[in-house]
Amino acid sequence: MIELLKACDYKKMRWKNGEGYTLEIARSVGESLAEFDWRISMADVKTSGDFSKFNGMNRFLTVLQGQGISLCIDDDFKHLKTLQSIEFSGDSVVSCELLAGHIRDFNLIYNPKKFDAQYQWIFSPEALEIPISSDVMFIFNQSVEVLVIEIGQQIFHLQHQDSLKLENEKSLQAITLNQQFLKQTCLIQLTKI
C-alpha cells in the first residue's frame, strides 16, 4: 500500500501528559494510543517542561522549526538546533528548555522488540534511488519546495511537511527522490523483527 499523507489531514491530539498537542502523521494500525508498535508525529512545543514517557519504546526527535531546545535526558544535557536529531529511550526522564521561543519537532516512537528502525535525514540536492527492503518506508518533506518521488510508473508530489508511506511494498524495486535544489527529507525504514 502506498499512501500520500497531506499535512492538512494530520490528526491533532493531546499529549499523554496533557501539556500540549501532537499532530499524528501515521501509526501502526489497530492499536490504541496507549499501545502501538510505531508512531510518527510532529509537536509544537510552546513552553519548557517535561516530556511524556513511553516505556519500552525508543524515540527519535528532530527540531524542524525554531531556534532549538536544550534537552535533559536522565541528567545528561543535549542541545538541538534546527534539523538536528537525537535518539533516546522512551523510559528516560526527559525535560526540555526552549532556547528562544517555541519550536516544532518531528518524532518517531517505536517498539525495538518488534521493529528495527533506520532514521536518516537527506540533504543532498542530487536525485537519489533508494531500494525498498523494509516493511514500512516513510518519507517526510520538510523543504518548502515540492519533493517529487517516483515509484515505478507512479509520481508523487510532496508539499512542505507532506509524507509518503509505503507498507508491504517489497515487490517494488526502489523509489527515486528526484533532483531538488534544497532537499530536507526524512527517510524512516521499519523492519519487523
Side-chain angles (χ1 to χ4, degrees):
M1 178 180 70
I2 303 174
E3 188 176 3
L4 176 61
L5 306 171
K6 304 296 289 181
C8 60
D9 296 328
Y10 297 158
K11 184 178 179 182
K12 185 176 181 179
M13 55 184 58
R14 287 195 74 76
W15 292 348
K16 278 177 63 176
N17 66 14
E19 298 297 318
Y21 288 92
T22 289
L23 291 173
E24 184 177 84
I25 300 170
R27 86 172 125 103
S28 52
V29 177
E31 291 86 12
S32 70
L33 180 58
E35 296 180 13
F36 55 82
D37 292 335
W38 58 267
R39 185 178 79 166
I40 300 166
S41 63
M42 292 187 294
D44 291 316
V45 182
K46 298 181 179 179
T47 60
S48 300
D50 296 332
F51 276 32
S52 301
K53 289 183 90 171
F54 288 89
N55 293 324
M57 308 294 261
N58 276 2
R59 296 183 71 167
F60 284 93
L61 180 144
T62 302
V63 174
L64 294 180
Q65 297 167 200
Q67 297 301 308
I69 55 174
S70 176
L71 292 177
C72 179
I73 304 171
D74 295 328
D75 297 322
D76 185 24
F77 287 89
K78 302 289 182 185
H79 302 285
L80 295 181
K81 295 182 180 178
T82 306
L83 296 178
Q84 289 183 328
S85 303
I86 192 167
E87 179 182 10
F88 56 93
S89 170
D91 295 304
S92 293
V93 175
V94 181
S95 62
C96 80
E97 183 178 334
L98 299 173
L99 299 180
H102 73 272
I103 63 145
R104 172 168 279 191
D105 63 29
F106 180 76
N107 301 272
L108 166 65
I109 303 172
Y110 72 98
N111 185 337
K113 293 179 180 175
K114 295 186 178 181
F115 285 91
D116 283 327
Q118 292 181 344
Y119 180 99
Q120 69 182 94
W121 280 86
I122 300 166
F123 300 105
S124 169
E126 289 81 24
L128 182 63
E129 186 172 279
I130 303 166
I132 298 173
S133 59
S134 56
D135 296 295
V136 179
M137 182 177 277
F138 189 88
I139 302 153
F140 174 81
N141 181 33
Q142 174 59 14
S143 174
V144 294
E145 295 184 26
V146 175
L147 177 64
V148 180
I149 301 173
E150 293 182 41
I151 306 173
Q153 302 299 316
Q154 299 180 76
I155 297 178
F156 298 90
H157 297 86
L158 272 63
Q159 304 289 333
H160 177 62
Q161 296 187 341
D162 286 351
S163 306
L164 191 69
K165 182 178 84 166
L166 292 81
E167 195 162 6
N168 300 318
E169 292 291 345
K170 289 183 183 178
S171 60
L172 298 171
Q173 297 299 309
I175 64 170
T176 301
L177 305 181
N178 284 352
Q179 186 170 350
Q180 181 176 340
F181 176 69
L182 179 61
K183 193 178 278 143
Q184 296 177 350
T185 303
C186 188
L187 173 64
I188 295 171
Q189 299 185 76
L190 296 164
T191 305
K192 291 178 183 175
I193 295 174

